[in-house]
Amino acid sequence: MTVMLLTEMAPPPGAQEVAGLRARARTARRGALVALSASIALLTTVQVLADRASTREQTLPLAVLSLAVFAAALPALAITQYVWGVRARRVRRRERELYADARSGASRPLTRLAFACCWAVTLLLGWTVPRFFRQAAHYAFADVLSRAAEALSLISVAAGVLFLLWWARDAVGTVARALRSGGSPGDPWDPGRGARPREGAVLWTGAAMAVAALLGARAHLWEPAVGVVYALLTVALVCGVVTDE
């Protein structure tokens, strides 16, 4: 009965705006997840195939493709995650204006740490690109890439240290806010997490498992056939693209 009365009542001022902001933030989050899973899956697949190339002629195009994927992945990850962060901050700011509190962000530190780990995996994969050019007998270009990878590694380590310091401060603040307040009163006019289809979570789980399997193949933890590698890549891409949250 309470639910029926709530749905029949007119939403309070700003509720529809907040619902729209939340929808945009969810769309941005989906874009960031798609870019992340696709980047790692593509980069890992190309490098697995390059590792298995038997001749220099077969290795060279895969080495070039690996470099191209890595070069495209870095700005794609940065842009999509920046857009997600901007839209998420807009939601929290508007929630505080309307409800004097924002939705509980208890999972936000874990999400940020998970994305940071994925960034580290992507960078580690990118730092192995010079080796493929060396296997293709392009030694001069491999040396140039090695020097660039060394510079990028120093920048990445510095950025990682700064991130950990910021993340620890933010995590402590999130826990303190959660203990101090009872959380957001919620919004009955926003469908919320429970009303969204569960198929999305299943598909994201499938994409994550496919990416993890490809990473295991790249680390030589197992040796799948080439057809299995392509199948895992297809699962990772399809599950991410067709997911509609």
Side-chain angles (χ1 to χ4, degrees):
M1 179 66 68
T2 303
V3 175
M4 292 178 62
L5 291 176
L6 287 173
T7 55
E8 292 174 358
M9 293 170 57
Q16 292 179 338
E17 178 189 357
V18 171
L21 291 175
R22 288 171 180 168
R24 294 185 64 194
R26 287 193 293 267
T27 301
R29 179 186 62 183
R30 178 175 176 267
L33 289 172
V34 169
L36 185 65
S37 60
S39 297
I40 296 178
L42 286 170
L43 190 57
T44 306
T45 299
V46 173
Q47 293 190 357
V48 168
L49 297 177
D51 260 341
R52 299 182 179 186
S54 56
T55 63
R56 296 175 179 177
E57 290 75 15
Q58 293 176 347
T59 304
L60 181 58
L62 293 171
V64 173
L65 183 57
S66 179
L67 178 60
V69 172
F70 179 65
L74 295 184
L77 296 181
I79 292 172
T80 54
Q81 292 176 30
Y82 173 78
V83 172
W84 178 22
V86 169
R87 293 184 179 181
R89 285 191 294 272
R90 289 176 182 171
V91 173
R92 293 195 295 270
R93 184 167 58 246
R94 191 59 177 145
E95 285 178 340
R96 292 191 184 97
E97 293 173 354
L98 290 175
Y99 310 126
D101 200 354
R103 271 186 174 178
S104 175
S107 63
R108 192 160 59 242
L110 294 178
T111 301
R112 288 171 173 169
L113 187 60
F115 269 80
C117 291
C118 291
W119 266 96
V121 169
T122 305
L123 291 173
L124 288 173
L125 291 171
W127 293 340
T128 63
V129 171
R131 179 168 63 86
F132 299 115
F133 282 94
R134 198 166 281 113
Q135 291 175 354
H138 285 256
Y139 302 109
F141 189 61
D143 291 338
V144 173
L145 288 180
S146 296
R147 289 192 291 270
E150 291 176 0
L152 181 60
S153 64
L154 294 176
I155 297 173
S156 301
V157 170
V161 172
L162 293 177
F163 168 80
L164 288 177
L165 294 174
W166 171 81
W167 177 84
R169 181 181 64 84
D170 184 71
V172 171
T174 300
V175 173
R177 287 192 297 272
L179 295 175
R180 186 171 58 249
S181 66
S184 172
D187 184 358
W189 289 271
D190 178 69
R193 187 174 300 176
R196 290 193 289 275
R198 295 182 179 179
E199 290 80 1
V202 174
L203 290 173
W204 281 125
T205 302
M209 293 177 63
V211 171
L214 288 171
L215 287 173
R218 179 68 183 87
H220 302 288
L221 299 179
W222 70 308
E223 299 293 334
V226 174
V228 176
V229 172
Y230 282 119
L232 290 172
L233 174 63
T234 302
V235 170
L237 296 178
V238 171
C239 286
V241 171
V242 303
T243 299
D244 185 8
E245 297 185 280

